[in-house]
Amino acid sequence: MGEVSTVHEFDRITVDHLRERGGLNWSTYPDALGSFVAEMDYGCAPEIIEALHAGVDGVRFGYLPSVLVAEMSQECAGWLAESYGWKVAASDVRPVGDVIAGFEIAVEHFSTPGSAVVVPTPAYKHFLDVPLRSGRKVVEVPMVLVEDRWEFDLDGLDEAFSAGAGLLVLCSPYNPLGRVFTRAELLAVSEVVESHGVRVFADEIHCPLVLPGAATHIPYATVSTSSSQHTITGLSASKAWNLAGLKCAQMVLTNQADRETWAGLGLAAEIGTSNLGLIANTAAFRSGGTWLREVLGYLDGNRSRLGDLLADRLPEVLYRPPEGTYLAWLDVTSLGLGDRPGSFFAEHAGVVFTEGADCGDAGRGCLRLNLATPRPILDEIVNRMASALARR
Ligand SMILES: Cc1ncc(COP(=O)(O)O)c(C=O)c1O
């Protein structure tokens, strides 16, 4: 785990500055510290800002220009090959407005009509509501703790597919539990999926955010021939380079049937992508590495720092430092705050977390904290939690 003693430029980012920038964590509750949206407080890579300026100066504001799509697809494919040895044709990297738009498309067009969607929980909360909007049922399959590590419940998945579910949402790296899965784990999932002939939406939006010491990210679609056949993958530079408002993500197609289905959807699937989003994603994949490495080092320090702070001020809280993502999952059940402890901290500590219960039933009594904040703010968050509990 990282060294945390030196002052970093991110340490100097203030709450006032963040409120001025106006991100959701800092504008939704003007009097509280926001830790509920998965966005980073660290700004953006200079290479991306520069590319965006050039895009603005070039007045690249027309309908989805194919040249920008082609550049993004090319850079993304190159980055996937270089980072993970995943060789995909640039033409198989398709643009969408965001990963959740891609998930909606996966539900509606890449799984058996009407079939239920299996969501391992606790989950990113929109995995739970998007299928409902498409008239699908959601089957929650809680992750299981095996020797202090969160793993997929293979029997639970098997049962859900036996009951007719048609699509698994596989979030890798895993929001909110911070797991970076091993090849053996992914392979085991793919065998269950294959045995039922169902589909997987692999949400790999957090893949650049593997923290030091963890194994590298392994794209699920690469673990076996069958996984490439049953998977459609969504990703984006938006989480790792802080670009969520620019509306650009990628769907990676890995089999002929999906290419044909995608082509059949026509422009409707891709039209929500923005030009500046394409430009920013292209720049991130092409030249965002230096900035990202700096961020990962800082996050490494933050995950250690959180462990130290909790051990010191709130030793009852259960926390396993994430291997990837910038999210920390806190099991605070022993504090006796009930199923929705977030409301206590919002009211009495002035800190707003994601309620674990909003991540599925398995999340009751837990909180999700955003580690991607300046270290002094992280300190303040834990101090406020401890003080509020002491005043109870
Ligand atoms: C796992 C996961 N998928 C999707 C999203 C949302 O991505 P987008 O804004 O591209 O829809 C998030 C946002 O935090 C996420 O954590």
Side-chain angles (χ1 to χ4, degrees):
M1 301 264 163
E3 204 19 81
V4 295
S5 57
T6 49
V7 174
H8 189 281
E9 63 174 309
F10 295 160
D11 292 342
R12 290 191 249 272
I13 299 169
T14 63
V15 170
D16 283 349
H17 172 80
L18 293 167
R19 293 215 197 279
E20 210 171 291
R21 195 185 286 151
L24 280 181
N25 274 326
W26 301 105
S27 58
T28 312
Y29 305 101
D31 298 322
L33 302 180
S35 190
F36 61 102
V37 180
E39 280 193 306
M40 298 195 283
D41 292 336
Y42 310 141
C44 189
E47 294 83 357
I48 298 177
I49 306 279
E50 201 181 309
L52 286 168
H53 278 299
V56 171
D57 291 342
V59 199
R60 309 196 77 169
F61 307 147
Y63 290 115
L64 201 64
S66 47
V67 62
L68 291 185
V69 173
E71 276 173 19
M72 180 282 289
S73 298
Q74 193 71 45
E75 283 304 329
C76 182
W79 176 79
L80 291 172
E82 195 180 308
S83 307
Y84 313 116
W86 188 13
K87 295 193 177 65
V88 294
S91 55
D92 285 338
V93 179
R94 306 309 318 162
V96 284
D98 51 48
V99 169
I100 287 305
F103 175 39
E104 252 172 56
I105 293 171
V107 170
E108 290 187 9
H109 301 283
F110 292 82
S111 68
T112 305
S115 62
V117 177
V118 179
V119 183
T121 54
Y124 172 60
K125 68 177 180 179
H126 295 305
F127 293 158
L128 299 166
D129 58 49
V130 165
L132 303 182
R133 285 207 300 274
S134 297
R136 301 295 186 90
K137 284 207 175 87
V138 167
V139 183
E140 296 185 22
V141 176
M143 298 289 279
V144 288
L145 203 50
V146 181
E147 291 171 10
D148 210 35
R149 186 174 87 163
W150 289 107
E151 296 185 359
F152 293 106
D153 176 0
L154 298 174
D155 292 336
L157 297 180
D158 188 59
E159 212 174 291
F161 297 135
S162 298
L167 179 72
L168 168 68
V169 184
L170 186 118
C171 185
S172 171
Y174 194 101
N175 168 8
L177 297 176
R179 280 297 320 282
V180 174
F181 298 107
T182 63
R183 183 177 299 279
E185 288 177 283
L186 296 172
L187 203 50
V189 171
S190 86
E191 281 163 10
V192 177
V193 169
E194 186 60 13
S195 72
H196 290 278
V198 291
R199 299 294 317 255
V200 169
F201 173 66
D203 181 334
E204 304 193 352
I205 194 171
H206 291 276
C207 66
L209 293 159
V210 172
L211 296 169
T216 59
H217 167 74
I218 299 169
Y220 175 76
T222 67
V223 297
S224 67
T225 309
S226 104
S227 75
S228 72
Q229 296 304 304
H230 65 226
T231 305
I232 181 161
T233 303
L235 50 97
S236 173
S238 62
K239 275 307 104 175
W241 284 275
N242 245 353
L243 308 169
L246 288 176
K247 294 292 143 204
C248 176
Q250 295 78 36
M251 294 287 269
V252 184
L253 310 176
T254 43
N255 62 73
Q256 190 52 28
D258 287 357
R259 287 181 195 108
E260 285 163 20
T261 305
W262 194 270
L265 296 174
L267 208 52
E270 303 188 353
I271 197 69
T273 315
S274 92
N275 297 1
L276 294 180
L278 286 166
I279 288 170
N281 272 247
T282 301
F285 295 133
R286 181 181 290 156
S287 48
T290 305
W291 186 85
L292 180 64
R293 273 188 293 282
E294 192 63 38
V295 165
L296 292 176
Y298 192 79
L299 290 172
D300 183 24
N302 272 12
R303 73 176 161 167
S304 302
R305 176 83 185 160
L306 181 61
D308 293 345
L309 289 165
L310 291 172
D312 186 35
R313 308 285 320 264
L314 293 167
E316 309 88 342
V317 174
L318 248 173
Y319 161 66
R320 292 173 187 82
E323 299 166 314
T325 79
Y326 43 78
L327 304 164
W329 186 251
L330 306 182
D331 181 342
V332 301
T333 41
S334 65
L335 297 176
L337 300 173
D339 280 353
R340 299 184 69 83
S343 50
F344 171 84
F345 290 111
E347 189 176 341
H348 300 286
V351 184
V352 184
F353 298 107
T354 302
E355 279 288 8
D358 292 340
C359 303
D361 273 350
R364 286 167 199 258
C366 299
L367 300 168
R368 194 193 72 174
L369 175 150
N370 179 5
L371 283 168
T373 200
R375 208 157 290 150
I377 298 180
L378 185 62
D379 290 5
E380 174 72 8
I381 287 173
V382 179
N383 286 336
R384 285 190 184 200
M385 290 172 79
S387 305
L389 286 164
R391 285 194 302 270
R392 230 186 343 168

